Amino acid sequence: MKLTIAVHGGAGTILKQDMTPELEQSYKQGLREALLAGYAVLEKNGFAMDAVIAASVVLEDNILFNAGRGSVFTKRGSHEMDASIMNGINLSAGAVCGVHNVRNPIKLAAAVMQHSDHVILSGDGAEEFARKENLQFEQDEYFFSEFRYDQWKAIRDTDEYALDHSGIETDKLFENKFGTIGAVACDMYGNIAAATSTGGMTNKNYGRIGDTPLIGCGTYANNKTCAISCTGHGELFIKAVAAYDVSCLMEYAHMNLHDSMNKVVNEKLVAINGEGGMIGVDAQGNFALLFNCDGMYRGVKTSEGFEEVKIYR
Ligand code: ASP
């Protein structure tokens, strides 16, 4: 059985001319570390579910990516994080939204899936559950990054909200750049899983929930079809029910993974101005990493020796 792990670190107007060689290297290094962490689980005959958690934790701990530690600032100047995870074996799923100070929201989403009768927990209730689960909390300072603070300062007195990686010049704020992290994997048993985690959008209204914690929108996994993790303008991914739509095209229209993802990313989302992308695997270990904007931080590694980390088109 072919082992596959793929990760993303957000998509949007990511242009080579806006990047220094050092920063580019740091992003690629971060993606590589996540791939290695996920692949190490698969290689030891581990489950896809554990591989996507391992890869996501590495990305959440990396300040460059808008999830966990590197989460953007909300209108209130705080960090509100969303995450979800789904296991293709049995459709079990867990998600959290609007959580503060939890070091790894993806671990909390996994705990909701594994140790509660619920699928989604939000805010205080999710944090109380995290304490019961003995998950790690961090002080506000842990989540502070100068770049994102400046990004927020530039618009905090306005009603604008911005996608991560956006330039801080106000007229450029809507040059859509997105942040979020995600992982999908296929293990030696032919099980697939998907995980997605985000800080959302800079200066977002407090209480705003995007596609990331919504099963079927930002994340979906079913061994019969595919495992998908999305990144992009969440409101549009919700309207498109993007991740589940890929699964439906595979299940009901008998299309393959790549063509199904292509239809959703490059036709259906484009038709409603839904900028962004997604990564996906199927239970044969096939993969696709597609986006309809300038770039997506992304990487993939398989047991057939294929390894690739890319940013631009
Ligand atoms: N989809 C995420 C959200 O809308 C943001 C992103 O992927 O950058 O919260």
Side-chain angles (χ1 to χ4, degrees), residues 14 73 91 110 127-128 175 178 183 191 220-221 236 254 265 303:
I14 306 167
F73 289 82
L91 307 184
E127 287 161 28
E128 192 180 294
E175 269 189 10
F178 309 90
N191 296 317
Y220 191 73
L236 283 314
H254 309 292
V265 172
S303 54

Side-chain angles (χ1 to χ4, degrees), residues 107 111 127-137:
K107 286 191 185 170
E127 287 161 28
E128 192 180 294
F129 183 72
R131 281 188 203 94
K132 272 199 211 134
E133 290 285 312
N134 289 319
L135 290 179
Q136 204 172 332
F137 278 75

Side-chain angles (χ1 to χ4, degrees), residues 8 10-11 66 82 163-165 177-181 196-201 204 208-213 218 230-235 237-238:
H8 72 74
N66 172 21
D82 303 333
L163 296 145
D164 188 42
H165 321 304
K177 295 187 181 184
F178 309 90
T180 280
I181 66 94
T196 315
S197 177
T198 191
M201 299 201 274
K204 67 182 179 183
R208 177 261 184 191
I209 306 292
D211 60 316
T212 303
C230 301
T231 176
H233 196 154
E235 280 70 8
F237 279 67
I238 293 172

Side-chain angles (χ1 to χ4, degrees), residues 138-251:
E138 298 288 349
Q139 301 291 318
D140 288 345
E141 298 75 59
Y142 171 81
F143 300 91
F144 182 88
S145 57
E146 196 74 48
F147 163 70
R148 293 195 172 88
Y149 183 72
D150 290 344
Q151 202 180 34
W152 172 64
K153 240 177 24 188
I155 54 167
R156 68 180 167 192
D157 298 326
T158 72
D159 285 333
E160 290 182 22
Y161 61 98
L163 296 145
D164 188 42
H165 321 304
S166 291
I168 55 168
E169 303 94 318
T170 43
D171 59 336
K172 282 195 174 168
L173 280 169
F174 283 95
E175 269 189 10
N176 301 331
K177 295 187 181 184
F178 309 90
T180 280
I181 66 94
V184 293
C186 176
D187 65 27
M188 65 173 291
Y189 316 100
N191 296 317
I192 55 179
T196 315
S197 177
T198 191
M201 299 201 274
T202 294
N203 212 35
K204 67 182 179 183
N205 217 331
Y206 64 88
R208 177 261 184 191
I209 306 292
D211 60 316
T212 303
L214 301 183
I215 297 302
C217 299
T219 305
Y220 191 73
N222 181 343
N223 278 7
K224 281 204 302 203
T225 55
C226 57
I228 301 287
S229 169
C230 301
T231 176
H233 196 154
E235 280 70 8
L236 283 314
F237 279 67
I238 293 172
K239 291 176 188 173
V241 199
Y244 184 60
D245 201 17
V246 175
S247 176
C248 287
L249 289 168
M250 293 179 74
E251 185 169 1

